């Protein structure tokens, strides 16, 4: 398993420059699994379970916001969230907005539809509340889906997940947008006139060469 530290990921936020990579997880399908989703502690402590689709809507919560406000939260290590991409994609970087004081374990579904361990995001060293973590993978992976679980203080939440990369066609990344193919040029009217005149001359010359 590859691991980021919160410090390294936070540093990557500032070092991250303009890239052509797309967020292939934008508006991807989000689902939950396990019995601990939306556990009672989140409601007792004055929170509010967010819509599942908010996890991939591209919008971040304010840094340091309480863990159970406008986030998808759960308890237990056997619960979590899955994000299913529209198509397989070559992913090189991840962005996660999650509660501090936990370890978030991220797996990916490979081309053979097998879950593989990918990385762990350590949020222990960050200030309380929700924070954003960004970092490159050690090696890009071709993924169809991602699965996120957690371990730590037993109160976990995520507010946003992004996967930066490119869509894959026949296992090759496609650079978007694809430039359209230029159409064949349409001949000008003068070209048609010259063609007609040439054909007429050829016909006249051929008629003179006919022997009866």
């Amino acid at each position: 398993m590859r691991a980021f530290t919160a410090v390294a990921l936070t540093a990557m936020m500032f070092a991250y420059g303009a890239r052509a990579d797309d967020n292939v997880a934008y508006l991807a399908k989000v689902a939950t699994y396990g019995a601990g989703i939306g556990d009672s502690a989140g409601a007792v402590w004055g929170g509010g379970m967010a819509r599942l689709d908010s996890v991939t809507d591209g919008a971040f919560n304010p840094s340091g916001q309480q863990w159970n406000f406008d986030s998808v939260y759960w308890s237990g290590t056997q619960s979590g969230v899955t994000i299913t991409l529209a198509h397989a994609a070559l992913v090189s970087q991840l962005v996660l907005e999650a509660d501090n004081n936990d370890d978030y374990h991220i797996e990916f579904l490979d081309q053979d539809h097998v879950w593989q361990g990918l990385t762990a995001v350590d949020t222990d060293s960050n200030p309380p509340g929700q924070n954003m973590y960004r970092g490159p993978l050690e090696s890009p992976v071709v993924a169809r889906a991602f699965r996120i679980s957690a371990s730590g203080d037993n109160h976990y939440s995520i507010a946003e997940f992004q996967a930066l990369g490119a869509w894959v066609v026949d296992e090759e990344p496609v650079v978007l947008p694809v430039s359209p193919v230029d159409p064949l040029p349409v001949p000008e009217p003068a070209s048609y006139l010259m063609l007609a005149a040439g054909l007429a001359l050829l016909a006249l010359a051929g008629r003179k060469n006919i022997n009866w």
Side-chain angles (χ1 to χ4, degrees):
M1 176 179 291
R2 307 174 179 89
F4 304 144
T5 66
V7 173
L9 283 170
T10 304
M12 287 297 173
M13 291 170 51
F14 299 102
Y16 183 81
R19 293 178 58 93
D21 290 344
D22 293 293
N23 175 19
V24 296
Y26 180 63
L27 300 182
K29 181 180 179 181
V30 181
T32 59
Y33 66 91
I37 300 298
D39 66 2
S40 59
V44 171
W45 291 358
M49 183 82 164
R51 289 166 48 111
L52 295 183
D53 57 11
S54 69
V55 171
T56 56
D57 65 0
F60 293 95
N61 288 341
S63 179
Q65 181 163 289
Q66 186 170 309
W67 68 278
N68 56 341
F69 274 74
D70 297 322
S71 64
V72 174
Y73 53 81
W74 68 91
S75 62
T77 58
Q78 303 303 311
S79 301
V81 172
T82 59
I83 296 102
T84 303
L85 306 181
H87 305 282
L90 181 66
V91 176
S92 59
Q93 300 198 48
L94 298 180
V95 180
L96 180 70
E97 184 177 38
D99 180 39
N100 79 305
N101 205 35
D102 301 305
D103 294 322
Y104 290 85
H105 309 281
I106 303 177
E107 303 168 274
F108 74 101
L109 191 67
D110 66 16
Q111 289 284 64
D112 296 322
H113 297 272
V114 176
W115 287 106
Q116 304 280 356
L118 181 58
T119 190
V121 180
D122 177 3
T123 68
D124 288 348
S125 62
N126 260 50
Q130 302 174 36
N131 296 281
M132 183 175 68
Y133 306 88
R134 184 200 300 267
L137 300 173
E138 290 182 5
S139 299
V141 297
V142 176
R144 296 179 179 273
F146 293 92
R147 184 165 64 186
I148 304 173
S149 59
S151 59
D153 63 9
N154 205 38
H155 299 301
Y156 316 118
S157 70
I158 61 174
E160 177 68 15
F161 175 83
Q162 297 181 5
L164 305 182
W167 298 116
V168 170
V169 176
D170 294 331
E171 298 186 355
E172 292 295 330
V174 177
V175 178
L176 299 178
V178 177
S179 299
V181 177
D182 292 331
L184 294 175
V186 177
E188 297 291 334
S191 301
Y192 285 118
L193 291 175
M194 292 179 63
L195 177 61
L199 291 174
L201 289 174
L202 287 174
L204 181 60
R207 184 172 297 178
K208 289 181 179 180
N209 291 332
I210 295 176
N211 296 319
W212 297 95

